[in-house]
């Protein structure tokens, strides 16, 4: 109904000379905008290049195709714009792979890009400016078969308060599907905050589903599906400029990289996710909460399903279910490990190296149950259940501080079961 009403007052792009015959229709769009805010694009393929539209409602069922061998952007949106129902063709066979944006979002607060199809691109697709395009919505679009070159991304967000919901990303090449934050050379430096990424479908991507780069803060990643990617989510920063990332209620399966979930930034919450067949589990940095998740047949072949940087701190690992990890269950520096269930672990179920509270965990089937390594001291191991442990149940490895560790009330591991080595 909305499209029908708009069509009554909109300028039909064909009426101003746009043709679907392979000729350049850029000028027809410019003339249309001079006459009306509303531009209707009927069925057909229309070539455009370096087209700048401001305060426009661009809609229809036609296809906008990037001019071949272009050395410039395809479309730049300024002001409050609405783009709806169109197909965008990157014309990849006639383009050189370029590190340029196809669609630039510039001073375009409250812009909406909805119900469109994007395919056949060899470049970045949607790129915002730094800080000046807030409250943008990217909703229910399809991004498919984009041979994005390395370093190019499908959606690049460098302004705050974006919502990216209900989109499909399939068969994306070597770039990121969604990239938040600034590049090293971006000026002015400005935080990218309050981004919501929800209910999207990421599948068959050669690189990363979602990346949070420098100055990404207060991000919510929820209710997405990640399937058959190289890496699902990456949140990292060597300068503590990426923090307060919440990742919840996602389904993550068949991820190929040992860093399937690189969550080494600060203040990560990884909660209530379901993970299947990951070549590596979540890898955390400082001040994180990993709780109420399920992991099936996951983890690297030489690490844990849940693991951390060497000097991580203030960790909470609670109420997770880990079934058939590939090697170890939980590998932590220090923190609280409580309420976890670890089933059929081929090596060490829980391993930690500094002061920790390890309570109320259930381990059924492991080579070793709980292992304290290096400089563990001032720790409590209590009220855990350890069943079907083939080797040591609770052991100290390369540790001379065991006298400051309180061990009590563990089922299946009496004091006589402790092993020093």
């Amino acid at each position: 109904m909305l499209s029908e009403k708009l069509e009554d007052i909109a300028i039909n792009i064909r009426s101003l000379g746009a043709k679907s015959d392979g000729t350049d229709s850029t000028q027809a769009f410019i003339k249309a905008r001079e006459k009306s805010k509303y531009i209707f694009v009927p069925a057909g393929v229309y070539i455009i290049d370096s087209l700048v539209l401001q305060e426009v409602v661009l809609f229809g069922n036609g296809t906008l195709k990037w001019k071949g061998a272009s050395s410039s952007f395809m479309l730049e949106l300024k002001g409050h714009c609405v783009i709806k129902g169109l197909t965008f063709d990157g014309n990849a066979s006639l383009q050189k792979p370029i590190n340029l944006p196809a669609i630039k979002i510039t001073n375009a607060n409250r812009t909406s890009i909805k119900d469109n199809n994007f395919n056949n691109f060899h470049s970045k697709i949607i790129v915002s400016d730094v800080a000046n395009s807030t409250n943008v919505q990217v909703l229910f679009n399809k991004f498919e078969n984009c041979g994005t070159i390395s370093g190019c991304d499908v959606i690049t967000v460098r302004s705050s308060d974006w919502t990216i919901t209900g989109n499909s990303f399939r068969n994306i090449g070597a770039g990121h599907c969604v990239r938040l934050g600034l590049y090293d050379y971006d000026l002015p430096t400005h935080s990218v905050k309050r981004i919501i990424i929800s209910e999207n479908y990421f599948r068959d991507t050669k690189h990363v589903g979602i990346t949070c780069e420098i100055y990404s803060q207060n991000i919510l990643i929820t209710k997405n599906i990640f399937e058959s990617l190289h890496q699902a989510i990456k949140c990292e920063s060597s300068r503590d400029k990426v923090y307060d990332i919440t990742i919840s209620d996602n389904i993550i399966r068949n991820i190929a990289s040992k860093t399937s979930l690189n969550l080494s930034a600060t203040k990560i919450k990884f909660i209530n996710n379901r993970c299947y067949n990951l070549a590596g589990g979540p890898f955390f940095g400082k001040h994180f909460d990993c709780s109420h998740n399920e992991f099936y047949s996951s983890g690297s072949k030489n690490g844990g399903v849940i693991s951390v940087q060497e000097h991580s701190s203030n960790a909470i690992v609670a109420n997770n279910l880990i079934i058939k990890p590939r090697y170890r269950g939980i590998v932590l520096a220090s923190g609280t490990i409580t309420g976890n269930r670890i089933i059929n672990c081929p090596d060490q179920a829980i391993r930690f190296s500094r002061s920790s509270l390890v309570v109320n965990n259930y381990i059924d089937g492991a080579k070793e149950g709980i292992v304290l390594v290096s400089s563990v001291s001032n720790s409590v191991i209590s009220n855990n259940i350890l069943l079907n442990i083939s080797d040591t149940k609770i052991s100290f490895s390369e540790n001379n501080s065991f006298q400051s560790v309180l061990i009590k009330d563990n089922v299946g591991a009496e004091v006589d079961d402790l092993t020093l080595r």
Side-chain angles (χ1 to χ4, degrees), residues 68-143:
S70 177
S71 60
S72 184
F73 59 89
M74 179 183 188
L75 172 65
E76 183 173 12
L77 301 175
K78 295 184 175 183
H80 176 204
C81 299
V82 176
I83 310 297
K84 189 175 188 300
L86 300 171
T87 295
F88 290 84
D89 185 340
N91 201 6
S93 63
L94 295 181
Q95 301 284 19
K96 296 179 180 179
I98 52 176
N99 193 19
L100 288 174
I103 300 175
K104 297 171 64 176
I105 310 297
T106 306
N107 296 314
N109 294 334
R110 299 184 298 113
T111 284
S112 173
I113 301 173
K114 183 178 180 181
D115 295 326
N116 303 285
N117 295 316
F118 297 83
N119 57 65
N120 200 23
F121 282 86
H122 260 326
S123 68
K124 300 176 187 293
I125 300 181
I126 297 173
V127 180
S128 82
D129 57 11
V130 177
N132 294 321
S133 295
T134 61
N135 293 291
V136 172
Q137 295 183 328
V138 183
L139 309 174
F140 308 110
N141 303 282
K142 292 182 179 179
F143 300 89

Coordinates of all heavy atoms in Angstrom, one line a residue, residues 68-143:
G68 N 30.3 0.3 -15.6 CA 31.5 -0.6 -15.7 C 32.8 0.3 -15.7 O 32.8 1.4 -16.1
A69 N 33.8 -0.3 -15.2 CA 35.2 0.3 -15.1 C 35.1 1.6 -14.4 O 35.9 2.6 -14.7 CB 35.7 0.5 -16.5
S70 N 34.3 1.7 -13.4 CA 34.2 3.0 -12.6 C 35.4 3.2 -11.7 O 35.9 2.2 -11.2 CB 32.9 3.0 -11.8 OG 32.8 4.2 -11.0
S71 N 35.7 4.5 -11.5 CA 36.8 4.8 -10.6 C 36.2 5.6 -9.4 O 36.9 6.3 -8.7 CB 37.9 5.5 -11.3 OG 37.4 6.7 -11.9
S72 N 34.9 5.7 -9.3 CA 34.2 6.5 -8.3 C 33.1 5.6 -7.6 O 32.9 4.5 -8.0 CB 33.6 7.7 -9.0 OG 33.0 8.6 -8.0
F73 N 32.4 6.2 -6.7 CA 31.3 5.6 -6.0 C 30.1 5.4 -6.9 O 30.0 6.0 -8.0 CB 30.9 6.3 -4.7 CG 30.5 7.7 -5.0 CD1 29.2 8.0 -5.3 CD2 31.4 8.8 -5.0 CE1 28.7 9.3 -5.5 CE2 31.0 10.1 -5.2 CZ 29.6 10.4 -5.5
M74 N 29.2 4.5 -6.5 CA 28.0 4.3 -7.3 C 26.9 5.3 -6.9 O 26.3 6.0 -7.8 CB 27.5 2.9 -7.0 CG 26.2 2.5 -7.7 SD 25.8 0.8 -7.2 CE 24.4 0.5 -8.3
L75 N 26.7 5.5 -5.6 CA 25.6 6.3 -5.1 C 26.0 6.9 -3.8 O 26.5 6.2 -2.9 CB 24.3 5.4 -4.9 CG 23.1 6.1 -4.2 CD1 22.5 7.2 -5.1 CD2 22.0 5.0 -4.0
E76 N 25.7 8.2 -3.6 CA 25.9 8.8 -2.3 C 24.6 9.4 -1.8 O 23.9 10.1 -2.5 CB 27.0 10.0 -2.4 CG 27.3 10.6 -1.0 CD 28.4 11.6 -1.1 OE1 28.8 12.0 -2.2 OE2 28.9 12.0 0.0
L77 N 24.3 9.0 -0.5 CA 23.0 9.5 0.1 C 23.4 10.5 1.1 O 24.2 10.3 2.0 CB 22.3 8.3 0.7 CG 21.9 7.1 -0.2 CD1 21.3 6.0 0.6 CD2 20.9 7.6 -1.3
K78 N 22.6 11.6 1.1 CA 22.8 12.7 2.1 C 21.4 13.1 2.6 O 20.4 13.0 1.9 CB 23.4 13.9 1.4 CG 24.9 13.7 0.9 CD 25.5 15.0 0.4 CE 26.9 14.8 0.0 NZ 27.5 16.1 -0.5
G79 N 21.4 13.5 3.9 CA 20.2 13.8 4.5 C 19.4 12.6 4.8 O 19.8 11.5 4.7
H80 N 18.1 12.8 5.2 CA 17.2 11.7 5.5 C 16.7 11.1 4.2 O 15.9 11.7 3.5 CB 16.0 12.2 6.4 CG 15.0 11.2 6.7 ND1 13.7 11.5 7.0 CD2 15.1 9.9 6.7 CE1 13.0 10.4 7.2 NE2 13.8 9.4 7.1
C81 N 17.1 9.9 4.0 CA 16.8 9.2 2.7 C 16.1 7.8 3.1 O 16.3 7.2 4.1 CB 18.0 8.9 1.9 SG 18.9 10.4 1.4
V82 N 15.3 7.4 2.1 CA 14.7 6.0 2.2 C 14.9 5.3 0.9 O 14.6 5.9 -0.2 CB 13.2 6.1 2.4 CG1 12.5 4.7 2.4 CG2 12.9 6.8 3.8
I83 N 15.5 4.1 1.0 CA 15.8 3.3 -0.2 C 15.1 2.0 0.0 O 15.4 1.3 1.0 CB 17.3 3.1 -0.4 CG1 18.1 4.4 -0.3 CG2 17.6 2.3 -1.7 CD1 17.8 5.3 -1.4
K84 N 14.1 1.6 -0.9 CA 13.3 0.5 -0.6 C 12.9 -0.3 -1.9 O 12.5 0.3 -2.9 CB 12.0 1.0 0.1 CG 11.1 -0.2 0.6 CD 9.9 0.4 1.4 CE 9.1 -0.7 2.1 NZ 8.6 -1.7 1.2
G85 N 13.1 -1.6 -1.8 CA 12.6 -2.5 -2.8 C 13.4 -2.7 -4.0 O 13.0 -3.3 -5.0
L86 N 14.6 -2.1 -4.1 CA 15.4 -2.1 -5.3 C 16.4 -3.2 -5.3 O 16.7 -3.8 -4.3 CB 16.1 -0.8 -5.5 CG 15.2 0.5 -5.6 CD1 16.0 1.7 -5.5 CD2 14.3 0.4 -6.8
T87 N 17.0 -3.5 -6.5 CA 18.2 -4.4 -6.6 C 19.3 -3.5 -7.0 O 19.3 -2.7 -7.9 CB 17.9 -5.5 -7.7 OG1 16.8 -6.3 -7.2 CG2 19.1 -6.3 -7.9
F88 N 20.5 -3.8 -6.3 CA 21.7 -3.1 -6.6 C 22.7 -4.1 -7.2 O 23.0 -5.1 -6.5 CB 22.3 -2.4 -5.4 CG 21.5 -1.2 -5.0 CD1 20.4 -1.4 -4.2 CD2 21.8 0.1 -5.4 CE1 19.6 -0.3 -3.7 CE2 21.1 1.2 -4.9 CZ 20.0 1.0 -4.1
D89 N 23.2 -3.8 -8.4 CA 24.1 -4.7 -9.1 C 25.5 -4.1 -9.2 O 25.6 -3.0 -9.8 CB 23.6 -5.1 -10.5 CG 24.4 -6.1 -11.2 OD1 25.6 -6.3 -10.9 OD2 23.9 -6.7 -12.2
G90 N 26.5 -4.7 -8.6 CA 27.9 -4.1 -8.6 C 28.6 -4.3 -9.9 O 29.7 -3.7 -10.0
N91 N 28.0 -5.0 -10.9 CA 28.6 -5.1 -12.2 C 30.1 -5.6 -12.1 O 31.0 -5.1 -12.8 CB 28.6 -3.8 -12.9 CG 28.7 -3.9 -14.4 OD1 28.7 -5.0 -15.0 ND2 28.7 -2.8 -15.1
A92 N 30.3 -6.6 -11.3 CA 31.7 -7.0 -10.9 C 32.5 -7.5 -12.1 O 33.7 -7.2 -12.2 CB 31.6 -8.2 -9.9
S93 N 31.9 -8.1 -13.1 CA 32.7 -8.6 -14.3 C 33.3 -7.4 -15.1 O 34.3 -7.7 -15.8 CB 31.8 -9.4 -15.2 OG 30.7 -8.6 -15.7
L94 N 32.8 -6.2 -14.9 CA 33.3 -5.1 -15.7 C 34.0 -4.1 -14.7 O 34.4 -3.0 -15.1 CB 32.2 -4.3 -16.4 CG 31.6 -5.1 -17.6 CD1 30.5 -4.2 -18.2 CD2 32.6 -5.6 -18.6
Q95 N 34.2 -4.5 -13.4 CA 34.9 -3.6 -12.5 C 36.2 -4.2 -12.1 O 36.3 -5.5 -12.0 CB 34.0 -3.5 -11.2 CG 32.7 -2.9 -11.4 CD 32.7 -1.4 -11.6 OE1 33.7 -0.8 -12.0 NE2 31.6 -0.8 -11.5
K96 N 37.2 -3.4 -11.9 CA 38.4 -3.8 -11.2 C 38.1 -3.9 -9.7 O 37.4 -3.0 -9.2 CB 39.5 -2.9 -11.5 CG 40.0 -2.8 -12.9 CD 41.1 -1.8 -13.1 CE 41.6 -1.8 -14.5 NZ 42.7 -0.8 -14.7
P97 N 38.6 -4.9 -9.0 CA 38.4 -4.8 -7.5 C 38.9 -3.6 -6.9 O 40.1 -3.2 -7.1 CB 39.1 -6.1 -7.0 CG 39.2 -7.0 -8.2 CD 39.3 -6.1 -9.4
I98 N 38.1 -2.8 -6.3 CA 38.5 -1.5 -5.8 C 38.1 -1.3 -4.3 O 37.1 -1.8 -3.9 CB 37.9 -0.3 -6.6 CG1 36.4 -0.5 -6.7 CG2 38.5 -0.2 -8.0 CD1 35.7 0.7 -7.4
N99 N 39.0 -0.7 -3.6 CA 38.8 -0.4 -2.2 C 38.0 0.9 -2.0 O 38.4 1.8 -1.4 CB 40.1 -0.4 -1.5 CG 39.9 -0.5 0.0 OD1 38.9 -0.9 0.5 ND2 40.9 0.0 0.8
L100 N 36.8 1.0 -2.7 CA 36.0 2.1 -2.7 C 34.6 1.7 -2.2 O 34.2 0.6 -2.5 CB 35.9 2.8 -4.1 CG 37.1 3.5 -4.6 CD1 36.9 4.0 -6.0 CD2 37.4 4.8 -3.7
P101 N 33.8 2.6 -1.6 CA 32.5 2.3 -1.3 C 31.6 2.4 -2.5 O 31.7 3.3 -3.3 CB 32.1 3.4 -0.3 CG 33.0 4.5 -0.6 CD 34.2 4.0 -1.1
A102 N 30.6 1.5 -2.6 CA 29.6 1.6 -3.7 C 28.6 2.6 -3.3 O 28.2 3.6 -4.0 CB 28.9 0.3 -3.9
I103 N 28.1 2.5 -2.0 CA 27.1 3.4 -1.5 C 27.6 4.2 -0.3 O 27.9 3.5 0.7 CB 25.8 2.7 -1.2 CG1 25.3 2.0 -2.4 CG2 24.7 3.6 -0.6 CD1 24.1 1.1 -2.2
K104 N 27.7 5.5 -0.4 CA 28.3 6.3 0.7 C 27.1 6.9 1.5 O 26.2 7.4 0.9 CB 29.1 7.4 0.1 CG 30.4 6.9 -0.6 CD 31.1 8.1 -1.4 CE 31.6 9.1 -0.4 NZ 32.4 10.1 -1.1
I105 N 27.2 6.8 2.8 CA 26.2 7.4 3.7 C 26.9 8.6 4.3 O 27.8 8.5 5.1 CB 25.7 6.4 4.7 CG1 25.3 5.1 4.1 CG2 24.6 7.0 5.6 CD1 24.2 5.2 3.2
T106 N 26.5 9.9 3.9 CA 27.1 11.1 4.3 C 26.2 12.1 4.9 O 25.2 12.5 4.3 CB 27.8 11.7 3.1 OG1 28.7 10.8 2.4 CG2 28.7 12.9 3.5
N107 N 26.4 12.4 6.2 CA 25.5 13.4 6.8 C 24.0 12.9 6.6 O 23.1 13.8 6.3 CB 25.7 14.8 6.4 CG 27.1 15.3 6.7 OD1 27.5 15.2 7.8 ND2 27.7 15.9 5.7
A108 N 23.8 11.7 6.8 CA 22.5 11.1 6.4 C 21.8 10.5 7.6 O 21.4 9.3 7.7 CB 22.7 10.0 5.4
N109 N 21.5 11.3 8.6 CA 20.8 10.8 9.8 C 19.4 10.3 9.5 O 18.7 10.8 8.6 CB 20.6 12.0 10.8 CG 22.0 12.5 11.4 OD1 22.9 11.7 11.4 ND2 22.0 13.7 11.8
R110 N 19.0 9.2 10.2 CA 17.7 8.6 10.1 C 17.4 8.0 8.7 O 16.3 7.8 8.3 CB 16.6 9.6 10.4 CG 16.7 10.1 11.9 CD 15.6 11.1 12.3 NE 15.5 12.3 11.4 CZ 14.6 12.5 10.6 NH1 13.5 11.7 10.4 NH2 14.6 13.6 9.9
T111 N 18.4 7.7 7.9 CA 18.3 7.1 6.6 C 17.8 5.6 6.8 O 18.3 5.0 7.8 CB 19.5 7.2 5.8 OG1 19.6 8.5 5.3 CG2 19.6 6.2 4.7
S112 N 17.0 5.1 5.9 CA 16.5 3.7 6.0 C 16.8 3.0 4.7 O 16.5 3.6 3.6 CB 15.0 3.7 6.3 OG 14.5 2.4 6.1
I113 N 17.5 1.9 4.8 CA 17.7 1.0 3.6 C 17.1 -0.3 3.9 O 17.5 -1.1 4.7 CB 19.3 0.9 3.4 CG1 19.9 2.2 3.2 CG2 19.6 0.0 2.2 CD1 21.4 2.2 3.2
K114 N 16.0 -0.5 3.1 CA 15.1 -1.6 3.5 C 14.6 -2.4 2.3 O 14.3 -1.9 1.3 CB 13.9 -1.1 4.3 CG 12.9 -2.1 4.8 CD 11.8 -1.5 5.6 CE 10.8 -2.5 6.2 NZ 9.7 -1.9 6.9
D115 N 14.6 -3.8 2.5 CA 14.0 -4.7 1.5 C 14.6 -4.6 0.1 O 13.9 -4.7 -0.9 CB 12.5 -4.4 1.3 CG 11.7 -4.7 2.6 OD1 12.0 -5.6 3.3 OD2 10.7 -3.9 2.9
N116 N 15.9 -4.4 0.1 CA 16.7 -4.3 -1.2 C 17.5 -5.6 -1.4 O 17.8 -6.3 -0.4 CB 17.6 -3.1 -1.2 CG 16.8 -1.8 -1.0 OD1 16.1 -1.3 -1.9 ND2 16.9 -1.3 0.2
N117 N 17.9 -5.8 -2.6 CA 18.9 -6.9 -2.9 C 20.2 -6.3 -3.4 O 20.2 -5.4 -4.3 CB 18.3 -7.8 -4.0 CG 17.1 -8.5 -3.6 OD1 17.0 -9.1 -2.5 ND2 16.0 -8.6 -4.4
F118 N 21.3 -6.8 -2.9 CA 22.6 -6.4 -3.3 C 23.4 -7.6 -3.8 O 23.5 -8.6 -3.0 CB 23.3 -5.7 -2.1 CG 22.7 -4.4 -1.6 CD1 21.6 -4.5 -0.7 CD2 23.1 -3.2 -2.0 CE1 21.0 -3.4 -0.2 CE2 22.5 -2.0 -1.6 CZ 21.5 -2.1 -0.6
N119 N 23.9 -7.5 -5.0 CA 24.7 -8.7 -5.4 C 25.8 -8.2 -6.4 O 25.7 -7.1 -7.0 CB 23.8 -9.7 -6.1 CG 23.0 -9.2 -7.2 OD1 23.5 -8.8 -8.2 ND2 21.6 -9.2 -7.0
N120 N 26.7 -9.1 -6.6 CA 27.7 -8.9 -7.7 C 28.6 -7.7 -7.5 O 28.9 -6.9 -8.5 CB 26.9 -8.8 -9.1 CG 27.8 -9.1 -10.3 OD1 28.8 -9.8 -10.2 ND2 27.4 -8.5 -11.4
F121 N 29.1 -7.5 -6.3 CA 30.0 -6.4 -6.0 C 31.4 -6.9 -5.8 O 31.7 -8.0 -5.2 CB 29.5 -5.7 -4.7 CG 28.4 -4.7 -5.0 CD1 27.1 -5.2 -4.9 CD2 28.6 -3.4 -5.3 CE1 26.0 -4.3 -5.1 CE2 27.6 -2.5 -5.5 CZ 26.3 -3.0 -5.4
H122 N 32.4 -6.1 -6.2 CA 33.8 -6.3 -6.0 C 34.4 -5.2 -5.1 O 35.5 -4.8 -5.3 CB 34.6 -6.3 -7.3 CG 34.9 -7.7 -7.8 ND1 35.2 -8.7 -7.0 CD2 34.9 -8.2 -9.1 CE1 35.4 -9.8 -7.7 NE2 35.2 -9.5 -9.0
S123 N 33.6 -4.6 -4.2 CA 34.1 -3.5 -3.5 C 33.3 -3.4 -2.1 O 32.5 -4.3 -1.8 CB 33.7 -2.2 -4.3 OG 32.3 -2.0 -4.3
K124 N 33.7 -2.4 -1.3 CA 32.8 -2.1 -0.2 C 31.4 -1.8 -0.7 O 31.3 -1.2 -1.8 CB 33.4 -1.0 0.6 CG 34.8 -1.1 1.2 CD 35.2 0.2 1.9 CE 36.7 0.1 2.3 NZ 36.9 -0.9 3.4
I125 N 30.4 -2.1 0.1 CA 29.0 -1.8 -0.4 C 28.4 -0.6 0.3 O 28.3 0.5 -0.4 CB 28.1 -3.1 -0.3 CG1 28.7 -4.2 -1.1 CG2 26.7 -2.7 -0.8 CD1 27.9 -5.5 -1.1
I126 N 28.1 -0.7 1.5 CA 27.5 0.4 2.3 C 28.5 0.9 3.3 O 29.0 0.2 4.1 CB 26.2 0.0 3.0 CG1 25.2 -0.4 1.9 CG2 25.7 1.2 3.8 CD1 23.9 -1.0 2.6
V127 N 28.9 2.2 3.2 CA 29.9 2.8 4.1 C 29.4 4.1 4.7 O 29.1 5.0 3.9 CB 31.3 3.0 3.3 CG1 32.3 3.6 4.3 CG2 31.8 1.7 2.7
S128 N 29.4 4.2 6.0 CA 29.0 5.5 6.6 C 30.2 6.4 6.8 O 31.4 6.0 6.8 CB 28.4 5.2 7.9 OG 29.4 5.1 8.9
D129 N 29.9 7.7 6.9 CA 31.0 8.6 7.3 C 31.3 8.5 8.8 O 30.7 7.6 9.5 CB 30.6 10.1 7.0 CG 29.3 10.5 7.7 OD1 28.8 9.7 8.5 OD2 28.7 11.5 7.3
V130 N 32.2 9.2 9.3 CA 32.6 9.2 10.7 C 31.7 10.1 11.5 O 31.8 11.4 11.3 CB 34.1 9.5 10.9 CG1 34.5 9.5 12.4 CG2 35.0 8.6 10.1
A131 N 30.9 9.6 12.3 CA 30.1 10.3 13.4 C 28.9 11.1 12.9 O 28.0 11.4 13.7 CB 31.0 11.3 14.1
N132 N 28.8 11.3 11.6 CA 27.7 12.3 11.1 C 26.5 11.6 10.5 O 25.6 12.4 10.0 CB 28.3 13.3 10.1 CG 29.4 14.2 10.7 OD1 29.2 14.6 11.9 ND2 30.5 14.4 10.0
S133 N 26.4 10.3 10.5 CA 25.2 9.7 10.0 C 24.7 8.7 11.1 O 25.0 7.5 11.1 CB 25.5 8.9 8.7 OG 25.9 9.8 7.7
T134 N 23.9 9.2 12.0 CA 23.4 8.4 13.1 C 21.9 8.0 12.8 O 21.2 8.4 11.9 CB 23.4 9.3 14.4 OG1 22.5 10.4 14.2 CG2 24.8 9.8 14.7
N135 N 21.5 7.0 13.7 CA 20.2 6.5 13.6 C 19.8 5.9 12.2 O 18.6 6.1 11.8 CB 19.2 7.5 14.1 CG 19.3 7.9 15.5 OD1 19.0 7.1 16.4 ND2 19.8 9.1 15.8
V136 N 20.7 5.3 11.6 CA 20.5 4.7 10.3 C 19.9 3.3 10.5 O 20.4 2.6 11.4 CB 21.7 4.7 9.4 CG1 21.5 3.9 8.1 CG2 22.2 6.1 9.1
Q137 N 19.0 2.9 9.7 CA 18.4 1.5 9.7 C 18.7 0.8 8.4 O 18.5 1.3 7.3 CB 16.9 1.6 9.9 CG 16.5 2.2 11.3 CD 15.0 2.1 11.5 OE1 14.2 2.2 10.5 NE2 14.6 2.0 12.7
V138 N 19.3 -0.4 8.6 CA 19.5 -1.3 7.5 C 18.7 -2.6 7.7 O 19.1 -3.4 8.6 CB 21.0 -1.7 7.3 CG1 21.2 -2.5 6.1 CG2 21.8 -0.4 7.2
L139 N 17.6 -2.8 7.1 CA 16.6 -3.7 7.5 C 16.2 -4.6 6.3 O 15.8 -4.2 5.2 CB 15.3 -3.0 8.0 CG 15.5 -1.9 9.1 CD1 14.2 -1.3 9.4 CD2 16.1 -2.5 10.3
F140 N 16.2 -5.9 6.5 CA 15.6 -7.0 5.7 C 16.1 -6.9 4.2 O 15.4 -7.1 3.3 CB 14.1 -6.8 5.7 CG 13.5 -6.8 7.1 CD1 12.9 -5.6 7.6 CD2 13.5 -7.9 7.9 CE1 12.4 -5.6 8.9 CE2 13.0 -7.9 9.2 CZ 12.5 -6.8 9.7
N141 N 17.4 -6.6 4.1 CA 18.0 -6.7 2.8 C 18.7 -8.0 2.5 O 19.0 -8.7 3.5 CB 19.1 -5.6 2.7 CG 18.5 -4.2 2.9 OD1 17.8 -3.6 2.1 ND2 18.7 -3.7 4.1
K142 N 19.0 -8.3 1.3 CA 19.7 -9.5 0.9 C 21.1 -9.1 0.3 O 21.1 -8.4 -0.7 CB 18.9 -10.4 0.0 CG 17.7 -11.0 0.6 CD 17.0 -11.9 -0.4 CE 15.8 -12.6 0.2 NZ 15.1 -13.4 -0.8
F143 N 22.1 -9.6 0.9 CA 23.5 -9.4 0.3 C 24.0 -10.7 -0.1 O 24.3 -11.6 0.8 CB 24.4 -8.7 1.3 CG 23.9 -7.4 1.9 CD1 23.1 -7.3 3.0 CD2 24.3 -6.2 1.2 CE1 22.6 -6.1 3.5 CE2 23.9 -5.0 1.7 CZ 23.0 -4.9 2.8

